Amino acid sequence: MSEPSAAVLQQLRQLLGDDGVRVQPDAVLPDVVLRPQSTEQVSAILRICSAAGQALVPLGGKTGMANGHFQTAGEIGLSLERMNAIEEIDPDNRTMTVQAGCILQVAVEAAEELGLLLPLDFGARGSATLGGIVATNAGGNRVIRYGMLRDMVLGLEVVLADGTVVTSLNKMLKNNTGYDIKQWFIGAEGTLGVITRVVLRLRPTPSSQNTALLAVDDFPSVIKLLHSLDASTAGTLSAFEVMWPDFYEFITRAGSLHTPPLPHGSAYYVLVETLGSDPGRDAERFETVLGQAMEEGLIADAVLTRSQSERNAIWEIRDDVLELFKLGPIIPFDISVTLDKMESFISDIRTGMDALKEPVCVIFGHLGDSNLHVILGARNAAEFDYKALEHLLYETVERYQGSVSAEHGVGLAKREQLHRSRSAAELQLMMAMKKMLDPNNILNPNKIFAAEKIAAA
Amino acid sequence: MSEPSAAVLQQLRQLLGDDGVRVQPDAVLPDVVLRPQSTEQVSAILRICSAAGQALVPLGGKTGMANGHFQTAGEIGLSLERMNAIEEIDPDNRTMTVQAGCILQVAVEAAEELGLLLPLDFGARGSATLGGIVATNAGGNRVIRYGMLRDMVLGLEVVLADGTVVTSLNKMLKNNTGYDIKQWFIGAEGTLGVITRVVLRLRPTPSSQNTALLAVDDFPSVIKLLHSLDASTAGTLSAFEVMWPDFYEFITRAGSLHTPPLPHGSAYYVLVETLGSDPGRDAERFETVLGQAMEEGLIADAVLTRSQSERNAIWEIRDDVLELFKLGPIIPFDISVTLDKMESFISDIRTGMDALKEPVCVIFGHLGDSNLHVILGARNAAEFDYKALEHLLYETVERYQGSVSAEHGVGLAKREQLHRSRSAAELQLMMAMKKMLDPNNILNPNKIFAAEKIAAA
């Protein structure tokens, strides 16, 4: 695609003012970004671009891992950065209405001030925006307790490709009046419409938090432990994060920033956490259920945190993913596999990696959600083969009927892998939806599906 | 529409055998019902009917409250009654795969046998089928804890109007591979596709249950109590059912089958329940938090149940909706209104009812979900005016920006009210979806939208 036409840019500048169109003339990558201030301006932008067949890339915090926010030649960015207001926090109905450009952390803190919890949490909280988070159906560390982003959205406002504004700012938990339109746009990565406002469900703030790091001897015990803790901590289990020894031992190796709370040498390390409402009783209960699991032989060793700093120290180990880049060139993969197949899946990946001279294969994940992060690479850059590693990983995911994207979406990065997790009939149906809602393919084109595939569908 | 053509019936009989086509020749209502035994047969039926433009009404347990299962002249029923197998219960992944015709109670009991919970529960559990339940996005008594049906579905198999089978039997909690197709069909009342199989998420079975009936003096205290209990029973609050005195006092009146656990004369009666994992501690905690709420003045009086029979006695009061028909001719309405507007909404309804000589206006609901059941009628049949009552109720719902259907769907019964809760843009978008997936309008036509509206859209 060629550069945006001067005529289109002229119309957009007239609409938005000089402040509303950011152009970086010297950029290597094309960089025209629109900065509307209202839903009406978003609608007008889409009418102009729709008429001109001008492609747009909706932009949030640009923290996505699947490159869904990449602008390629000829595409104009549509940033929601100036639509970042928290429009309302409603303590009676425990909802929050925000504009799409609102940053997650800002929203979380505003809810906190009223004693309410927006239970979404992940590393990019300081830059990710609610619009982008809804568009990618973000997950994170507390899915086992509170669900994916989809489970937190009550209402949406979306602008369609032709400029139609669909305002559906529902605040009620139960609302069965026809098709649940918002579901179409959640997780659609900006390819079906531009999200401009979101109504989020808020929860009561927990008043107790109990965290432990556990050592477990074998994978069947990990599964049993998950089920046992989920049952015995009724409704309060908020994290069940598993680190394989290659992860735990590297992050806490001698000379690293971390002191290992449990000695090296175990088969699995599990970070568990509950969020409750009764500090005294919850702590006692947490100890009791872990003690029982130990008696049953499910846990080989355990450290319970006694302070916020001890808790932070354990979470910092789990979250220190960047440290892995010291291993050499690596690719972090985000996939799902069902629990019954997980051990065998990992064994096949490791066997595949054995062919390399100095392979890197490091695994951790949100096990309660079937979600693994698999890090593959090579200590020696000369041995690193992106295509081969990608093929090994995704081909194995396909064989195990897993998901090539658990929580990061498809974007550009996984477009060519989508067929491994979705049938031809499913892909056909998705493309029909895309064609219906965006017949000129101007909304984040080439994301999820290549334009030529949609055209041929 | 005229009767199904002899040629079409002939083709269907050839496909399904005599056993597969049930015809009741003497019925006042048309009654041709197909009884396929496999997804392949459903697909073949749809290919035949699609080619012939023959309308079909998918049939589950026929327990829906919005007449979504009504067959009108010329329409053929498509019953999933012979596709009722539980195909798999997977204890590792805690999922259950069932055919659409499987009855809810059968599925619940099969899960129970493996120590797992399918947390959906409502009155029609003995006849409602999973296919129908998914198609209507059913709610029930535990939505505050476990969500609507939508939150329990991991995967679906759907047959489209043209016979295409879309198999999407996902079992993973996190799966962001493109558009989440199953969401399109959940709650679509059989108008977009025929659901043939469902993967459900199962939960650990709770081991404690604590139930109380509370008297509350005013509505702001009801809201405060809901929020306070939700916070202090972290993740275990499973019911918050409010009965207005007109409901409670009639159901437990002298001469009724029920003994009132709390005396008449209070402003509100609230049934609360928690489902936990530690019988001893949970009971103690339940008493403590209710005691605190009493000290804070939120609760005026309380009865805690000490046995299963006491618990049943309280639930039987809440569930004895049929008793209300003794008041005279009535209409039960299922609507949502946000909590902040609820008191004023009800006051307006009561004022509207004052015009009648002997009005019936009885209210109860799942307050934690914004869901009210409003029963309007007249003691004297001569004063009963269906249209006027319906108008009063729905016009008031519209003024308060509520939902004309909380958990029962739209079907035929609420089709003409849909515009009160959905904007023109939303309706337009829904009809575009219908046209895309069912261009000949053969799937449950006239449900949710009148055929002529779709044609004109």
Side-chain angles (χ1 to χ4, degrees):
Chain A
M1 193 182 274
S2 55
E3 292 298 293
S5 83
V8 167
L9 282 177
Q10 169 64 16
Q11 279 183 74
L12 291 168
R13 215 171 251 116
Q14 209 154 16
L15 172 72
L16 301 169
D18 280 345
D19 237 30
V21 184
R22 188 171 58 214
V23 183
Q24 227 171 310
D26 297 331
V28 180
L29 285 172
D31 195 7
V32 179
V33 175
L34 311 178
R35 303 163 69 231
Q37 289 185 295
S38 67
T39 300
E40 293 64 37
Q41 287 190 343
V42 174
S43 170
I45 290 169
L46 281 157
R47 280 196 305 272
I48 292 169
C49 292
S50 198
Q54 171 60 50
L56 288 166
V57 180
L59 297 174
K62 299 193 270 187
T63 59
M65 303 284 285
N67 307 338
H69 58 279
F70 274 28
Q71 267 173 263
T72 51
E75 294 174 355
I76 294 182
L78 172 54
S79 170
L80 283 294
E81 65 197 59
R82 296 207 289 181
M83 292 175 61
N84 62 0
I86 295 177
E87 296 190 336
E88 184 197 55
I89 300 180
D90 177 342
D92 274 346
N93 297 302
R94 295 189 297 187
T95 62
M96 173 183 250
T97 307
V98 301
Q99 292 181 337
C102 178
I103 286 170
L104 174 58
Q105 190 160 334
V106 173
V108 167
E109 287 171 5
E112 251 170 33
E113 272 177 34
L114 295 177
L116 291 165
L117 177 73
L118 174 56
L120 189 67
D121 192 47
F122 50 76
R125 65 184 76 79
S127 8
T129 64
L130 265 312
I133 290 167
V134 172
T136 54
N137 187 29
N141 291 331
R142 295 178 188 153
V143 171
I144 191 172
R145 166 83 185 263
Y146 296 104
M148 302 284 277
L149 202 280
R150 187 180 298 278
D151 303 298
M152 302 173 198
V153 177
L154 292 173
L156 276 189
E157 182 180 75
V158 180
V159 183
L160 303 182
D162 66 2
T164 304
V165 178
V166 183
T167 304
S168 193
L169 297 172
N170 169 63
K171 286 181 168 187
M172 297 166 281
L173 276 196
K174 283 185 180 166
N175 188 347
N176 270 345
T177 44
Y179 309 154
D180 193 355
I181 293 171
K182 65 175 177 291
Q183 307 293 349
W184 308 354
F185 300 94
I186 299 171
E189 305 186 34
T191 62
L192 300 180
V194 178
I195 293 164
T196 46
R197 289 199 282 175
V198 184
V199 183
L200 295 157
R201 179 184 182 185
L202 302 177
R203 306 287 194 132
T205 304
S207 56
S208 84
Q209 186 174 13
N210 286 285
T211 314
L213 184 68
L214 315 172
V216 181
D217 284 337
D218 53 62
F219 198 74
S221 295
V222 172
I223 299 183
K224 273 189 204 142
L225 181 64
L226 167 64
H227 294 168
S228 160
L229 292 184
D230 195 16
S232 57
T233 61
T236 64
L237 186 67
S238 54
F240 191 94
E241 302 285 313
V242 177
M243 295 172 268
W244 271 251
D246 34 47
F247 180 93
Y248 179 78
E249 294 177 2
F250 181 76
I251 299 291
T252 61
R253 72 195 181 283
S256 76
L257 290 171
H258 309 279
T259 313
L262 288 173
H264 291 187
S266 290
Y268 299 92
Y269 297 86
V270 183
L271 192 171
V272 295
E273 191 162 273
T274 61
L275 293 171
S277 59
D278 186 348
R281 276 196 192 80
D282 293 343
E284 199 186 295
R285 177 80 183 145
F286 192 64
E287 263 194 68
T288 306
V289 302
L290 292 182
Q292 282 164 353
M294 207 168 245
E295 270 169 43
E296 287 165 30
L298 296 178
I299 301 175
D301 201 354
V303 179
L304 275 75
T305 62
R306 298 286 166 201
S307 65
Q308 189 59 44
S309 67
E310 284 182 25
R311 175 177 301 128
N312 292 347
I314 290 185
W315 272 110
E316 281 160 15
I317 292 169
R318 162 59 184 81
D319 286 344
D320 200 1
V321 180
L322 288 180
E323 184 71 9
L324 298 174
F325 284 90
K326 294 189 182 160
L327 283 164
I330 53 167
I331 321 173
F333 292 100
D334 160 57
I335 58 110
S336 287
V337 179
T338 54
L339 287 176
D340 58 313
K341 295 176 183 155
M342 208 175 261
E343 206 180 2
S344 170
F345 166 81
I346 290 171
S347 158
D348 282 10
I349 294 285
R350 292 202 195 279
T351 305
M353 292 300 286
D354 281 345
L356 275 77
K357 240 179 286 166
E358 292 180 286
V360 172
C361 177
V362 177
I363 297 171
F364 62 104
H366 315 287
L367 220 78
D369 327 321
S370 330
N371 182 188
L372 288 181
H373 295 304
V374 179
I375 314 295
L376 300 184
R379 293 201 175 249
N380 185 336
E383 281 181 73
F384 181 75
D385 181 342
Y386 195 101
K387 281 280 163 206
L389 293 174
E390 200 177 57
H391 181 80
L392 167 66
L393 191 282
Y394 289 126
E395 186 275 329
T396 314
V397 169
E398 181 177 3
R399 256 193 307 117
Y400 282 89
Q401 297 161 289
S403 163
V404 297
S405 177
E407 55 179 5
H408 294 163
V410 176
L412 279 179
K414 298 188 175 181
R415 210 177 62 180
E416 307 309 326
Q417 312 299 338
L418 200 51
H419 70 279
R420 298 184 186 274
S421 296
R422 294 289 191 190
S423 66
E426 288 176 287
L427 296 174
Q428 203 63 33
L429 200 50
M430 290 182 201
M431 288 190 283
M433 181 71 148
K434 170 71 174 170
K435 280 175 130 167
M436 174 180 88
L437 287 177
D438 182 17
N440 301 323
N441 199 13
I442 63 164
L443 284 173
N444 221 1
N446 290 306
K447 309 296 162 54
I448 305 183
F449 301 104
E452 58 273 20
K453 278 212 179 143
I454 298 174
Chain B
M1 194 181 276
S2 56
E3 291 298 293
S5 84
V8 167
L9 282 176
Q10 169 65 15
Q11 279 183 76
L12 291 168
R13 214 171 252 117
Q14 207 153 19
L15 173 72
L16 302 168
D18 280 345
D19 236 30
V21 184
R22 189 173 55 214
V23 183
Q24 227 169 311
D26 297 331
V28 178
L29 285 171
D31 194 9
V32 178
V33 175
L34 310 178
R35 304 163 68 232
Q37 289 185 294
S38 66
T39 299
E40 293 64 38
Q41 286 191 343
V42 174
S43 170
I45 289 169
L46 281 157
R47 281 197 304 272
I48 292 169
C49 292
S50 198
Q54 170 61 51
L56 288 166
V57 179
L59 297 174
K62 299 192 269 185
T63 60
M65 305 282 285
N67 306 340
H69 58 279
F70 274 26
Q71 268 174 263
T72 51
E75 294 174 355
I76 293 182
L78 173 54
S79 169
L80 282 294
E81 66 196 60
R82 295 207 290 182
M83 292 173 63
N84 60 1
I86 295 177
E87 296 190 336
E88 184 198 55
I89 300 180
D90 177 342
D92 273 347
N93 298 302
R94 295 190 296 189
T95 61
M96 173 184 251
T97 307
V98 299
Q99 293 181 335
C102 179
I103 286 172
L104 174 58
Q105 190 159 335
V106 173
V108 167
E109 286 170 7
E112 252 169 32
E113 271 177 35
L114 295 176
L116 291 165
L117 177 73
L118 174 57
L120 189 67
D121 193 45
F122 51 76
R125 67 185 74 80
S127 10
T129 63
L130 266 312
I133 290 167
V134 172
T136 52
N137 186 28
N141 291 331
R142 295 178 188 152
V143 171
I144 192 171
R145 167 84 185 266
Y146 295 105
M148 303 282 279
L149 203 278
R150 187 180 297 279
D151 303 298
M152 302 173 198
V153 177
L154 292 173
L156 276 189
E157 181 179 76
V158 180
V159 183
L160 303 182
D162 66 1
T164 304
V165 178
V166 184
T167 302
S168 192
L169 297 172
N170 169 63
K171 285 181 169 190
M172 297 166 281
L173 276 196
K174 283 185 180 167
N175 188 347
N176 269 344
T177 44
Y179 309 154
D180 194 355
I181 293 171
K182 66 176 176 290
Q183 307 292 349
W184 309 353
F185 300 95
I186 299 171
E189 305 186 34
T191 62
L192 299 180
V194 179
I195 293 164
T196 46
R197 289 199 282 176
V198 184
V199 184
L200 295 157
R201 179 185 181 185
L202 301 178
R203 306 287 195 134
T205 303
S207 56
S208 84
Q209 186 174 11
N210 286 285
T211 313
L213 184 68
L214 314 173
V216 181
D217 284 337
D218 53 63
F219 198 73
S221 295
V222 173
I223 299 183
K224 273 189 204 141
L225 181 65
L226 167 63
H227 294 169
S228 159
L229 292 184
D230 195 17
S232 57
T233 60
T236 64
L237 185 67
S238 54
F240 191 93
E241 302 286 313
V242 177
M243 295 171 268
W244 272 250
D246 35 47
F247 180 91
Y248 180 77
E249 294 177 2
F250 181 75
I251 299 291
T252 61
R253 72 195 181 283
S256 77
L257 290 171
H258 309 279
T259 313
L262 288 173
H264 291 187
S266 290
Y268 299 93
Y269 298 85
V270 184
L271 191 171
V272 295
E273 190 162 274
T274 61
L275 292 172
S277 59
D278 187 348
R281 276 196 191 80
D282 293 342
E284 200 186 295
R285 177 77 183 146
F286 193 64
E287 263 195 68
T288 306
V289 302
L290 292 181
Q292 282 164 354
M294 206 169 245
E295 271 170 42
E296 287 165 29
L298 297 178
I299 301 175
D301 201 355
V303 179
L304 275 76
T305 62
R306 299 286 167 203
S307 66
Q308 189 59 43
S309 66
E310 283 183 25
R311 175 175 301 127
N312 292 346
I314 290 185
W315 272 110
E316 281 160 13
I317 292 170
R318 161 62 184 78
D319 285 344
D320 200 1
V321 180
L322 288 180
E323 184 72 9
L324 298 174
F325 284 91
K326 295 190 182 159
L327 283 164
I330 54 168
I331 320 173
F333 292 100
D334 161 56
I335 58 109
S336 287
V337 179
T338 55
L339 286 177
D340 58 314
K341 294 176 184 156
M342 208 174 262
E343 207 181 0
S344 171
F345 166 80
I346 290 171
S347 158
D348 282 10
I349 294 284
R350 291 203 196 279
T351 305
M353 292 300 287
D354 281 345
L356 274 79
K357 240 179 288 168
E358 292 181 285
V360 171
C361 177
V362 176
I363 297 170
F364 62 103
H366 316 286
L367 219 79
D369 326 322
S370 331
N371 181 187
L372 287 181
H373 295 304
V374 179
I375 314 295
L376 300 184
R379 291 202 178 249
N380 185 336
E383 282 182 72
F384 181 76
D385 180 342
Y386 195 101
K387 281 281 163 206
L389 294 174
E390 200 177 57
H391 181 79
L392 167 67
L393 193 280
Y394 288 126
E395 187 275 330
T396 314
V397 169
E398 181 177 4
R399 257 192 309 117
Y400 281 89
Q401 297 162 288
S403 164
V404 297
S405 177
E407 55 179 5
H408 293 163
V410 176
L412 278 179
K414 299 189 174 179
R415 211 176 62 179
E416 307 310 326
Q417 312 300 337
L418 199 52
H419 69 280
R420 299 185 185 273
S421 296
R422 293 289 192 190
S423 67
E426 288 176 287
L427 296 175
Q428 203 63 32
L429 200 51
M430 291 182 201
M431 288 191 283
M433 182 69 149
K434 170 70 175 172
K435 280 176 130 165
M436 174 180 89
L437 287 177
D438 182 17
N440 300 323
N441 198 13
I442 63 164
L443 284 172
N444 222 0
N446 290 306
K447 309 296 162 56
I448 305 183
F449 302 104
E452 58 272 22
K453 279 212 177 143
I454 299 174

